[in-house]
Amino acid sequence: MQGLIRPLAVLLALALAALLLAVMVGSVAITPGELMAVVMGQGNPLHHTLITELRLPRALSALATGGLLAVAGALMQILLRNPLADPYVLGISGGAAVGALLAMLGGLGAFLVSGSAFAGALLSTLLVFGLAHGTGSWTPTRLLLTGVVIASGWGAMITLMLAISPTEQLPGMLYWLMGDLTYANSPWPPLFVLVTLCLLLMPLGRSLNVLARGALQAAALGVSVRPLEWLVYILASLVTAVAVTTAGSIGFVGLIVPHMLRLVLGNDQRLILPACALAGGTLLLLADTLARTVIAPEQLPVGVITALLGVPAFLILLYRSR
């Protein structure tokens, strides 16, 4: 147990440090003394508003979204037994993007845009799962290929919608597609989902360890393989949908974080899954802090930063997995 707690304690400390950095850094810098004064209720009203209404909700949203994406990536890699698997490969992100863009074209509010993105992600999940299953049972390869095809279809629809969209709506749509936390002002739903997910997965750690070694070996050791695979896929899809509705389409977090943690911590899912929640959140939080400060007061989409990190990492993983 101590071997599990120590790495998680280190990752938790890094996440808290990244959270403090995100709150203090920006176009208006806040010193540790000013931050403490705000915590004690005696600070500058401007600093209080800046922290409680802008930076802290955005930072917590980034923390939750990154954790959800990393855990979803780890679950997909267990399910497909492929270190290059990622929730976005299965078209969930594309379905969410199509739903959100349709809502934007219809002039709907932010809440309905998020709801439409969530509906699109769930529709994509049902399509991939249903088409991959067909009249028989699905295999990891069949599921992966179906997801790639569905993702290509969503990509074509996104291109079509961007081509016919009014000029004044294009900037907001493009920012959402690249991943943007500017309007993520309600961090509590994704944080609740992340905590609930971790609590749900903790009792399944041993079964997931066996499943990661192969379905036949897991069945021989008494694991109910098919129900567990269904559960893993549904959970990964749902939490990806929540992440996408919170921050738009952000790639590579679910690919990079689980693999890097396995290189450092081993392949015990009882440790890897909660570690992904902390490390993924920390990575996206630092990326978002960089995105809003590197050319301040202008802001970059956080998806640009994660892509710049993820593309070389993906190529390295691809080279190593030949």
Side-chain angles (χ1 to χ4, degrees):
M1 181 62 68
Q2 186 176 1
L4 300 179
I5 293 177
R6 186 175 300 172
L8 294 179
V10 172
L11 290 173
L12 179 60
L14 291 176
L16 292 175
L19 186 63
L20 288 175
L21 180 67
V23 170
M24 295 168 59
V25 173
S27 56
V28 177
I30 296 177
T31 65
E34 292 170 339
L35 176 61
M36 185 59 64
V38 170
V39 173
M40 300 299 293
Q42 302 172 350
N44 187 324
L46 176 62
H47 291 164
H48 184 273
T49 301
L50 186 63
I51 291 173
T52 59
E53 297 184 13
L54 295 176
R55 290 186 184 174
L56 185 59
R58 177 168 176 163
L60 291 175
S61 296
L63 193 66
T65 301
L68 289 172
L69 290 173
V71 173
L75 290 175
M76 285 296 183
Q77 290 168 15
I78 294 170
L79 179 66
L80 301 178
R81 290 176 282 282
N82 187 336
L84 299 179
D86 179 81
Y88 289 83
V89 174
L90 298 182
I92 301 169
S93 167
V98 169
L101 294 182
L102 285 173
M104 292 178 186
L105 285 175
L108 303 181
F111 178 78
L112 292 177
V113 170
S114 296
S116 298
F118 189 81
L122 293 184
L123 174 62
S124 185
T125 298
L126 294 175
L127 280 175
V128 173
F129 208 148
L131 294 175
H133 191 275
T135 57
S137 60
W138 53 266
T139 63
T141 301
R142 189 172 179 177
L143 186 66
L144 185 60
L145 291 176
T146 305
V148 170
V149 172
I150 295 295
S152 298
W154 291 133
M157 291 187 65
I158 290 170
T159 302
L160 175 62
M161 285 188 286
L162 291 176
I164 64 175
S165 299
T167 305
E168 63 273 10
Q169 288 185 305
L170 277 177
M173 296 169 70
L174 289 173
Y175 257 71
W176 194 92
L177 286 173
M178 291 183 287
D180 187 22
L181 284 154
T182 303
Y183 301 105
N185 296 321
S186 181
W188 306 118
L191 280 174
F192 173 78
V193 172
L194 180 61
V195 173
T196 303
L197 175 68
C198 291
L199 293 176
L200 182 62
L201 291 175
M202 283 176 61
L204 300 175
R206 293 183 183 275
S207 298
L208 292 174
N209 281 337
V210 180
L211 182 63
R213 297 178 178 274
L216 292 178
Q217 184 174 350
L221 294 175
V223 175
S224 300
V225 174
R226 189 58 65 187
L228 183 59
E229 287 180 335
W230 279 60
L231 178 63
V232 168
Y233 182 73
I234 292 171
L235 285 177
S237 301
L238 289 176
V239 299
T240 302
V242 173
V244 170
T245 57
T246 302
S249 183
I250 299 174
F252 293 104
V253 175
L255 171 65
I256 299 172
V257 174
H259 189 78
M260 295 303 177
L261 287 176
R262 289 191 185 98
L263 292 177
V264 177
L265 302 177
N267 202 27
D268 188 348
Q269 307 307 321
R270 296 173 298 173
L271 173 60
I272 290 297
L273 292 173
C276 282
L278 293 170
T282 302
L283 174 63
L284 189 58
L285 184 54
L286 292 175
D288 183 58
T289 303
L290 183 63
R292 63 181 177 81
T293 57
V294 65
I295 57 172
E298 300 296 327
Q299 298 186 24
L300 292 172
V302 67
V304 172
I305 305 299
T306 60
L308 289 174
L309 296 173
V311 168
F314 182 87
L315 294 176
I316 292 171
L317 296 181
L318 190 64
Y319 177 80
R320 293 184 56 179
S321 65
R322 289 184 305 171

